[in-house]
Amino acid sequence: MSTSATAPVDVNEQPPEPKNGLDRYFKISERGSTVPREIRGGLATFFAMAYIIVLNPIILGSAKDMYGHQLDNGQLVTATALTAAFTTLLMGVIGNVPIALAAGLGVNTVVALQLAPRMSWPDAMGMVVLAGFVVMILVATGLRERVMNAVPLSLRKGIAIGIGLFIMLIGLVDSGFVSRIPDAAHTTVPLQLGADGHLNGWPVLIFVLGVLLTLALLVRKVPGAILISIVVMTVAAVIVNAVAKIPSWGLTTPKWPGNPVATPDFGLVGKVSLFGGFEKVGILTGVLFVFTVLLSCFFDAMGTIMGISDEAHLTDENGQMPGMNKVLFIDGIAVAAGGASSSSATTCFVESTAGVGEGARTGLANVVTGALFAVALFLTPIATMVPSQAATPALLAVGFLILSGGIRAIDWDDWTVAIPAFITMLMMPFTYSITNGIGMGFIAFTVLRVVAGRAKEVPVAMYAVSAVFAFYYLMPALGLT
C-alpha cells in the first residue's frame, strides 16, 4: 500500500471517464490518481535523487584514464543533468510510468575504476554505449521481457522487498545516521551508529526530525506527506546551517547560493569512441567489460522496475506490467544515452519510490521530475541545496511501505521459492547491490527446484540467467577480470 494513493483500480470495473486530454493520455483517472498527486510525486522523486547531480561528477571526476586525463567537473554536472532530464521525460511521455532515470551508481564506479584506467575516457564511454545497444537488442528480440516474466511471483515480491530494505539502508547511510567502520578499526562489525558510535551533530538531528515528521504525517494520512517533510526539513537545515555554521553536511550544504544561475557546459556530450577500447585491451577483455556493464544495467533496472511497478499497482494478477517491453526499451536507450553524454550508464532510479509514495502512478510525475532536471541545467546551485538529511527520510518511509505491502504475498510454505526470496531481500542491502541480490536469488531458486525434483518447473530463461550469473561470479577465479 502507499501513503496518499487510492487502492488499485479493479480491472473488472469500468474505468472512470477521462476528464481531459492530459488525463486521457497519461491514464491518470484510470490508474486512480490525480494531477496534484502526480505533481507532488514528481517533485518528491526529484528531491530524493537530485544528489546524483553532485555525486556522479565526484565519482567520475576523481578518476583518470590511461593517459592521466580527468573529466571536467562542470561538464560532468551538465552531462548528468541533461541525460537525466532527457531519459526521465522519455520514460514519462512514452513509457507512461513514474520511474525516473539518471546516472547509475555502481555502474559509474565500474566505468571510473575498471574501464577508464585501461583506455581513454571516450573509449570507456563507447563501451557503455555498446552495452546500451545490446540491451535494446535483447528487448527487441523479446528476450529481456521473457526473463522478467519467468520470475515467479513470490521471487518478484522478494525483489521488491529487497529494494525496500536497500533504499532504507541507503537512507540511513546517506544521512549519516549509520556509517562504515574503517578497516583500520580491525573489527568484523561493518556499520556503526553515527560517525563514531553515537548520534552527534545538527545534520543527524535534522534527519531524525525528518523521519519523525514524515512518519507522523503518514500516520495522519496528510496528502503530500513526503514532499512536505522534505521542504520543511530543508528550510530547517538552511536556518540551522546559517546559525550554527555546520562544517560539513556531506555532499550538499543547505545554503542559499550567492549565484543561483549556472551556465551549462556541453563539452563532454558526444565525446565517444565506440570501438577504441577494444584496440587498447583486446577483444576478449573488451567483451567482458561490456558484459560487466550490461549485467549491472540489465538487472539493476529489472529489479527497480519490478519493485516500483508493483508498489504503484501497475501490475496484473500475475505480477506483470502491461507495456513492459516499451519501458525496457527506453531503459536501453538510457544506457546508451548516458555513455553518449559521458555521464556513464543511465538507469532506472530506485528513489522513484519516493514519488510513488506520494501517489504517483503515471508518466506525468516523470514529466515533472524531468523538467526539474532540465531546469537544474541552469539552476544547479539551487537544485543541489537540499541536503541528504532532509531527503533521505522519504526512503525509510517508502521502504516500510514496500515491506508492509509485499511480504505477506510470498508463499512461505514453498521453501524452493521462499528461501530464494529471503536470500534476495537480504543480499540487496548486505552487498549494497540490486544485481547481486537478484543473481544470488535466481541461482538459489534454480538449484533448489532441481534438487527438490521440480526441474521441469524452472523456466528455460531462469536456467540461462542463473548460468550467466554463475559465470559472472566465477570470473575473478577464472582470471577474467
Side-chain angles (χ1 to χ4, degrees), residues 59-99:
I59 293 173
L60 293 177
S62 62
K64 296 180 180 180
D65 66 9
M66 66 179 298
Y67 302 108
H69 298 154
Q70 289 181 282
L71 299 178
D72 179 78
N73 186 76
Q75 293 177 340
L76 281 171
V77 169
T78 296
T80 302
L82 175 67
T83 312
F86 168 69
T87 55
T88 298
L89 286 168
L90 191 66
M91 185 67 83
V93 175
I94 306 299
N96 195 22
V97 289
I99 302 176

Side-chain angles (χ1 to χ4, degrees), residues 180-273:
R180 176 177 177 272
I181 298 177
D183 293 337
H186 300 295
T187 175
T188 57
V189 181
L191 296 174
Q192 64 185 355
L193 190 65
D196 57 0
H198 302 87
L199 295 178
N200 299 313
W202 284 102
V204 175
L205 179 60
I206 290 292
F207 169 74
V208 172
L209 293 176
V211 171
L212 294 175
L213 176 60
T214 303
L215 297 179
L217 293 172
L218 291 178
V219 170
R220 297 289 298 178
K221 301 186 183 303
V222 176
I226 291 174
L227 183 58
I228 290 172
S229 175
I230 292 174
V231 172
V232 170
M233 298 318 300
T234 298
V235 173
V238 170
I239 295 172
V240 167
N241 185 68
V243 174
K245 306 294 183 184
I246 309 300
S248 175
W249 288 81
L251 282 176
T252 305
T253 299
K255 179 182 179 181
W256 185 261
N259 183 11
V261 179
T263 303
D265 186 341
F266 299 97
L268 288 177
V269 178
K271 296 295 180 66
V272 174
S273 172

Side-chain angles (χ1 to χ4, degrees), residues 131-148:
F133 287 161
V134 174
V135 170
M136 285 185 270
I137 292 172
L138 293 175
V139 174
T141 57
L143 181 60
R144 192 177 187 187
E145 189 170 16
R146 282 199 292 272
V147 169
M148 295 184 70

Side-chain angles (χ1 to χ4, degrees), residues 13-36:
E13 293 183 1
Q14 187 70 22
E17 192 69 24
K19 299 175 182 177
N20 50 49
L22 184 71
D23 190 351
R24 182 177 299 103
Y25 181 84
F26 286 107
K27 302 180 180 179
I28 298 171
S29 297
E30 181 180 329
R31 295 184 182 178
S33 185
T34 64
V35 172

Side-chain angles (χ1 to χ4, degrees), residues 1 33 101-102 244 259 358 360 388 400 433:
M1 62 181 294
S33 185
L101 302 95
N259 183 11
E358 274 298 336
S388 59
F400 163 75
S433 167

